[in-house]
Amino acid sequence: MVSELQWALDHANTTYAVLNACRALRFADDGKLCSKLDGGEWYLARHGADAVVAAAIAHQRDGRTGPTTSEAATFVATALGRLGSPDLHWIPRNRG
């Protein structure tokens, strides 16, 4: 799961990275595998309003502006902390 979250930061767009982290948190919490959008909705219902997750959902659904790279990296690092990963200082690797 941890390597998939790093892959998303390195290779996918920020919306994918954030919603994938939400999905991983849900799986860790209740064992249910769900879509990225369902994971984002679950996260908001479970943890309350979150601008980064809301932006990712809006981008996925309507093409609106998604989270920035910095916002996504911070969100994924926080998710890793919740998942028990010791690596809390993730930054996206150079995509160049």
Side-chain angles (χ1 to χ4, degrees):
M1 193 174 337
V2 169
S3 63
E4 168 60 21
L5 296 181
Q6 180 64 57
W7 181 92
L9 282 177
D10 292 345
H11 303 286
N13 67 45
T14 58
T15 293
Y16 181 100
V18 168
L19 296 179
N20 199 47
C22 291
R23 179 168 57 177
L25 289 167
R26 180 172 186 178
F27 183 77
D29 184 69
D30 64 17
K32 292 184 182 176
L33 189 58
C34 64
S35 72
K36 289 184 291 299
L37 274 175
D38 286 344
E41 294 291 347
W42 171 88
Y43 185 89
L44 292 177
R46 177 85 176 193
H47 299 282
D50 185 289
V52 175
V53 175
I57 290 170
H59 181 252
Q60 183 79 0
R61 284 192 176 144
D62 306 323
R64 288 185 256 167
T65 302
T68 66
T69 300
S70 176
E71 291 169 336
T74 298
F75 185 85
V76 171
T78 300
L80 286 168
R82 290 182 177 162
L83 293 168
S85 173
D87 188 0
L88 300 180
H89 301 288
W90 267 15
I91 56 171
R93 294 178 187 148
N94 185 357
R95 293 183 187 184

